[in-house]
Amino acid sequence: MSKLLFIETLGCAMNSRDTEHMIAELTEKEGFVMTNDFKVADLILINTCSVRERPVHKLFSELGGFNKHKKPHAKIGVCGCTASHLGKEIIKRAPYVNFVLGARNVSKISEIIHKDKAVEIDINYDDSEFAFKDFRSSPFKGFINISMGCDKSCTYCIVPKTRGDEISIPDALIINEAKRLVSIGAKEIFLLGQNVNNYGRRFSGEHEDVNFTELLRRLSKIEELERIRFTSPHPFHMDDEFIEEFSSNPKICKSMHMPLQSGSTKVLKDMKRGYSKEWFLNRVNKLKTMCPEATISTDIIVGFPGESDEDFEDTLDVMKTVEFDQIFSFKYSPRPETEAQYFKNVVDEELASSRLTFLQSLHNEIMDKNNAKLLGNTYRVYFEDLHSDGHAAGRSDNNIVVKVKGSEELLGQFRDVKITAIGRTILTGEIVA
Ligand code: SAH
Ligand code: SF4
Ligand code: F3S
């Protein structure tokens, strides 16, 4: 009988990729087979996120549930960003946990499962050239890490403490991985890093000078590769050369994530984001001028310490000016090991909540207005998902999610789709070619 592995993944795309790496190592080296039911699993892993407080609370209640209902000899491992930041504290609070593996130590997964009460959370550990085994959750597109860690010091953010300093992965490894993905049928790659456009700043060994724009150029030479996406670029590093390559290279998908965080130059300074409201708007302007078809998404934090009504107005002002196609908005959550946890002028919880609600309802209006303009347009859609209601779904180059009536034979295919009905998160269309 095979050993069964259950993994729950919280957090961002980097965690999803780490999960794929762990699955690959455990299935290929250790003979595990995946299960969706933790009650029958021999090994239960939870890949955690600590960017806000809520998921950390959730971790301990979930661990309690795993422990109560698991098979008697099943092991439980806590991996990812909360593992990095709480370390052995996790075993203190939940003594039945067998091991703790930090976000920077994923390559050690097949060793640590054989140990008990082991804690591997060294954020200086260098995985950047580790040759992971391979597992892909989608045959149609593949995530590729291009860097690990983060060299910024945004005052609200715990990520540099959980993932360590930024190291770029050599471009030859990235290109080989992209080629391999293409050879097994993927037409789209998704490049991942906390600051993708800071790529090339530091490699772990000697390496020629390759910046992100050059990496994009090199990747786009892979013949059968049709689409390149990436996240997250940092507004500070959006130089002209990068925006020009983005706009003119037909393989780069025309959807840009521009994490604003706040529209107030004062708050941005307190956050140590390295750009002003004016710089952000200038970059958006350049992008919209060079590439009018690009959609723009963003991340916004409301209720950062010291955020006044005027500061919040600045954020609303940027929202109205840019008309973001998609926003991910959060109430500020104080995090351990960050500067901002000590900041005075904490914004009242209720005020922060009402700002968030207001921001989100303003964005819904913007989205409804933007979406209404899409009716009747035709997009080239790459199909990658099946819905249970007889629809297949995919994305346009500029990241519009569209579903059409259809089944398996559409998966992995490009089709021209005309939009026939509008919805908030997904549009409906019909295939025209
Ligand atoms: N490297 C990416 C962000 C990674 S974290 C970037 O710089 O854009 C993802 C998002 O979580 C951030 O963009 C931010 O909006 C949000 N976030 C990070 N720390 C937070 C905190 N302490 N409270 C609330 N939201 C936070
Ligand atoms: Fe966090 Fe800032 Fe790094 Fe993004 S750039 S991961 S927000 S420290
Ligand atoms: Fe990602 Fe959460 Fe870690 S957002 S980098 S999994 S703290």
Side-chain angles (χ1 to χ4, degrees):
M1 269 271 283
S2 307
K3 296 175 288 179
L4 296 177
L5 165 67
F6 171 88
I7 305 194
E8 177 178 347
T9 307
L10 309 171
C12 63
M14 309 210 73
N15 256 18
S16 303
R17 182 66 190 129
D18 289 345
T19 287
E20 289 182 339
H21 276 152
M22 290 193 286
I23 293 175
E25 292 289 297
L26 293 174
T27 54
E28 291 196 29
K29 286 190 187 155
E30 300 292 327
F32 278 94
V33 169
M34 298 298 293
T35 173
N36 289 325
D37 180 5
F38 80 84
K39 293 187 183 118
V40 301
D42 300 281
L43 175 61
I44 299 172
L45 299 181
I46 176 159
N47 196 6
T48 57
C49 172
S50 51
V51 81
R52 282 168 291 276
E53 199 180 359
R54 200 180 292 165
V56 179
H57 278 308
K58 198 175 150 206
L59 167 67
F60 286 98
S61 64
E62 212 146 340
L63 282 175
F66 286 153
N67 186 43
K68 202 163 158 201
H69 302 291
K70 74 180 177 70
K71 275 196 339 200
H73 299 293
K75 285 189 167 186
I76 300 180
V78 177
C79 313
C81 286
T82 308
S84 306
H85 110 257
L86 290 182
K88 60 181 188 301
E89 180 68 27
I90 294 176
I91 299 184
K92 249 195 226 153
R93 281 173 69 179
Y96 46 82
V97 166
N98 298 88
F99 59 86
V100 173
L101 184 70
R104 189 80 177 227
N105 310 87
V106 182
S107 61
K108 295 181 175 165
I109 185 68
S110 40
E111 290 164 40
I112 202 168
I113 59 164
H114 299 292
K115 300 179 182 165
D116 200 30
K117 308 299 166 210
V119 178
E120 290 272 6
I121 53 167
D122 179 4
I123 57 165
N124 296 313
Y125 186 70
D126 181 6
D127 261 350
S128 62
E129 297 190 37
F130 187 84
F132 284 100
K133 296 286 178 195
D134 200 43
F135 171 84
R136 297 282 168 184
S137 19
S138 164
F140 310 115
K141 64 175 179 190
F143 288 132
I144 303 181
N145 286 340
I146 67 163
S147 57
M148 319 178 333
C150 177
D151 269 356
K152 302 271 183 245
S153 35
C154 304
T155 54
Y156 52 81
C157 185
I158 196 171
V159 173
K161 293 290 186 311
T162 68
R163 290 194 178 256
D165 290 346
E166 195 170 313
I167 300 188
S168 298
I169 292 168
D171 70 310
L173 295 181
I174 298 169
I175 292 168
N176 277 345
E177 198 166 353
K179 283 186 179 157
R180 213 184 41 72
L181 283 171
V182 167
S183 75
I184 55 172
K187 296 180 180 125
E188 180 175 309
I189 57 168
F190 207 128
L191 308 176
L192 298 179
Q194 290 299 348
N195 275 305
V196 284
N197 52 347
N198 195 31
Y199 178 81
R201 192 183 129 122
R202 187 191 310 120
F203 293 92
S204 65
E206 282 291 307
H207 195 280
E208 70 172 309
D209 230 7
V210 178
N211 67 14
F212 186 57
T213 308
E214 177 57 24
L215 178 68
L216 290 173
R217 282 190 198 115
R218 292 184 182 186
L219 283 166
S220 62
K221 295 207 175 91
I222 301 174
E223 226 167 273
E224 279 97 32
L225 176 63
E226 303 215 25
R227 286 184 168 184
I228 304 173
R229 297 188 192 277
F230 51 82
T231 201
S232 287
H234 195 295
F236 175 79
H237 298 291
M238 290 191 178
D239 55 24
D240 286 352
E241 193 199 8
F242 166 66
I243 295 181
E244 282 156 21
E245 184 66 26
F246 174 89
S247 308
S248 62
N249 185 329
K251 291 198 177 175
I252 303 178
C253 288
K254 301 300 179 259
S255 93
M256 186 77 94
H257 187 59
M258 295 185 68
L260 169 68
Q261 313 301 359
S262 168
S264 151
T265 297
K266 177 189 149 285
V267 173
L268 286 169
K269 204 162 172 213
D270 292 344
M271 289 176 163
K272 295 205 176 145
R273 285 292 287 176
Y275 53 87
S276 61
K277 176 185 182 185
E278 290 66 34
W279 168 259
F280 188 90
L281 288 175
N282 172 290
R283 296 295 84 191
V284 170
N285 196 23
K286 168 107 187 161
L287 177 65
K288 287 194 169 187
T289 311
M290 297 217 50
C291 189
E293 73 274 29
T295 53
I296 305 179
S297 58
T298 198
D299 290 351
I300 293 175
I301 297 176
V302 300
F304 187 74
E307 183 188 68
S308 65
D309 287 342
E310 292 71 36
D311 293 323
F312 181 58
E313 281 299 324
D314 274 327
T315 300
L316 297 178
D317 186 46
V318 176
M319 278 264 294
K320 289 179 200 152
T321 311
V322 180
E323 299 198 317
F324 295 107
D325 296 274
Q326 202 181 5
I327 65 166
F328 301 90
S329 49
F330 316 97
K331 229 174 5 171
Y332 167 67
S333 165
R335 306 304 297 123
E337 300 187 62
T338 61
E339 270 185 71
Q341 67 174 318
Y342 304 112
F343 287 3
K344 304 269 180 318
N345 301 323
V346 170
V347 173
D348 173 75
E349 189 71 28
E350 260 175 50
L351 179 60
S353 297
S354 71
R355 283 181 184 163
L356 186 65
T357 309
F358 189 83
L359 181 93
Q360 290 174 341
S361 60
L362 174 67
H363 182 253
N364 283 339
E365 283 172 31
I366 293 173
M367 220 166 36
D368 290 344
K369 198 181 94 185
N370 283 351
N371 279 350
K373 292 185 206 152
L374 308 181
L375 198 64
N377 286 1
T378 298
Y379 296 98
R380 191 132 186 91
V381 173
Y382 183 47
F383 286 95
E384 47 189 293
D385 279 324
L386 275 187
H387 290 193
S388 50
D389 59 355
H391 284 85
R395 285 169 196 270
S396 69
D397 170 288
N398 60 356
N399 214 23
I400 294 169
V401 185
V402 183
K403 64 173 182 178
V404 302
K405 281 228 158 60
S407 52
E408 284 92 29
E409 69 275 5
L410 280 176
L411 295 180
Q413 302 294 318
F414 286 91
R415 291 283 186 277
D416 289 341
V417 176
K418 185 173 177 186
I419 306 303
T420 53
I422 303 294
R424 274 234 169 103
T425 49
I426 188 162
L427 310 184
T428 309
E430 58 189 35
I431 293 174
V432 291

